[in-house]
């Protein structure tokens, strides 16, 4: 049986022609035009509690968690866009309901801050009536479990890579989204996860050979910087 591995654009589709900036509104638009399964993006929180879309802890030289949003928004992205808030990003996402929005909530400096982030993200998603389009991922097991505690209907996958499929199941999560080297070191995990009914995803797969190896093992999803190339494989 041919495995139907689905494609997710990592931080949107930014390695486009012309090139744009990762986690920008343009990169999300580009991903939407590809008609793939989904677009992944990263969420952080400013010092004054505003949710922004940015991968790194810093925006230019400002640490996001230690800087108010007013200061952050003064510095544009490299493509000229303003730093997107989660609301901005979701507004663009809502324009094409066929493309899932894979929200990575970044770990924070305390459990309380992580709880606050989870509550705010869930409120934003619900206020915009986007529940059916959203899935969650995080490197923080605490964040993953907090999402399931507050809104068990959402799909939540863990990113860190140290938990076996059985452990993921015991933690009450929906799947494992691990770096491809984790699956190479643990060659039975994809099959085990599939047997347990868990979601299987791998990042960041930018090599067709690695993609085909994972696909042969029956992986459900691939997160990649080259979604335009892999969607036709």
């Amino acid at each position: 049986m041919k495995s139907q591995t689905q494609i997710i654009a990592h931080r949107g589709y930014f390695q486009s022609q012309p090139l744009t900036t990762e986690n920008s509104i343009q990169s999300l638009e580009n991903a939407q035009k590809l008609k793939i399964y989904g677009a992944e993006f990263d969420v952080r929180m400013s010092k004054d509690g505003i949710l922004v879309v940015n991968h790194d802890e810093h925006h230019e030289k400002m640490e996001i968690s230690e800087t108010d949003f007013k200061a952050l928004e003064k510095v544009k992205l490299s493509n000229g866009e303003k730093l997107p808030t989660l609301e901005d990003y979701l507004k663009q996402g809502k324009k094409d309901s066929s493309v899932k929005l894979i929200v990575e909530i970044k770990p924070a400096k305390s459990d309380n801050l992580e709880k606050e982030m989870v509550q705010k993200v869930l409120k934003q998603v619900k206020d915009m009536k986007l529940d059916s389009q959203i899935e969650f991922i995080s490197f923080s097991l605490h964040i993953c479990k907090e999402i399931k505690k507050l809104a068990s209907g959402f799909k939540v996958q863990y990113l860190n890579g140290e938990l076996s499929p059985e452990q993921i199941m015991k933690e009450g999560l929906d799947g494992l989204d691990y770096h491809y080297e984790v699956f190479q070191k643990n060659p039975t995990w994809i099959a085990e996860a599939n047997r347990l009914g868990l979601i299987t995803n791998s990042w960041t797969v930018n090599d067709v050979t690695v993609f085909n190896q994972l696909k042969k093992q029956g992986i459900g999803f691939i997160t990649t910087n080259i979604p335009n190339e892999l969607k036709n494989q």
Side-chain angles (χ1 to χ4, degrees):
M1 193 174 106
K2 192 172 177 234
S3 169
Q4 295 300 306
T5 303
Q6 302 266 19
I7 304 298
I8 294 166
H10 182 237
R11 304 177 199 166
Y13 173 35
F14 60 93
Q15 291 188 354
S16 50
Q17 293 300 327
L19 285 171
T20 192
T21 305
E22 63 179 37
N23 278 325
S24 63
I25 302 290
Q26 185 62 59
S27 71
L28 175 55
E29 266 190 78
N30 292 346
Q32 289 170 324
K33 285 173 188 162
L34 287 178
K35 296 296 174 194
I36 51 177
Y37 179 83
E40 180 265 0
F41 59 97
D42 305 284
V43 176
R44 294 186 177 275
M45 188 167 69
S46 67
K47 189 180 180 184
D48 53 345
I50 305 297
L51 298 169
V52 297
V53 176
N54 201 72
H55 175 265
D56 296 347
E57 284 180 38
H58 293 79
H59 176 48
E60 286 289 303
K61 292 179 180 171
M62 297 174 283
E63 188 175 346
I64 290 170
S65 66
E66 299 297 331
T67 310
D68 285 346
F69 180 68
K70 265 191 174 171
L72 293 169
E73 71 173 344
K74 284 178 184 167
V75 180
K76 298 238 169 108
L77 301 183
S78 57
N79 69 351
E81 284 182 30
K82 69 186 183 77
L83 177 70
T85 62
L86 176 61
E87 185 179 5
D88 296 331
Y89 215 83
L90 293 180
K91 275 180 183 166
Q92 176 60 39
K94 197 169 185 176
K95 291 177 183 176
D96 186 350
S97 61
S98 71
V99 178
K100 297 282 187 196
L101 302 171
I102 317 298
V103 184
E104 179 180 341
I105 303 181
K106 286 292 185 185
K109 291 178 179 177
S110 71
D111 283 358
N112 282 339
L113 281 171
E114 290 190 344
K115 278 184 182 178
E116 185 185 341
M117 283 177 76
V118 168
Q119 287 165 356
K120 285 185 168 176
V121 172
L122 289 173
K123 184 178 187 306
Q124 186 78 70
V125 166
K126 286 174 185 299
D127 285 352
M128 294 178 75
K129 297 182 170 55
L130 277 167
D131 299 42
S132 63
Q133 207 177 329
I134 300 282
E135 296 175 17
F136 289 105
I137 56 176
S138 186
F139 280 97
S140 163
L141 187 57
H142 176 251
I143 284 174
C144 290
K145 291 171 82 168
E146 195 66 21
I147 296 165
K148 290 307 278 186
K149 189 169 91 179
L150 296 176
S152 61
F154 284 108
K155 289 177 183 170
V156 181
Q157 298 162 67
Y158 183 52
L159 292 167
N160 212 42
E162 83 282 9
L163 298 181
S164 69
E166 203 171 287
Q167 288 170 308
I168 289 285
M169 196 87 172
K170 281 180 183 162
E171 294 290 358
L173 305 181
D174 300 288
L176 44 165
D177 183 355
Y178 290 168
H179 191 273
Y180 63 87
E181 287 178 353
V182 174
F183 290 121
Q184 288 172 340
K185 285 173 190 161
N186 299 278
T188 62
W189 277 10
I190 292 171
E192 282 171 31
N194 287 339
R195 272 200 305 275
L196 292 168
L198 294 168
I199 299 164
T200 52
N201 194 346
S202 186
W203 53 272
T204 301
V205 181
N206 301 324
D207 181 299
V208 176
T209 306
V210 174
F211 172 72
N212 285 325
Q213 285 167 353
L214 291 165
K215 193 174 173 182
K216 270 184 196 160
Q217 290 181 57
I219 201 156
F221 300 88
I222 288 289
T223 302
T224 178
N225 291 341
I226 53 166
N228 57 315
E229 293 177 46
L230 295 188
K231 77 171 194 152
N232 299 316
Q233 287 295 315

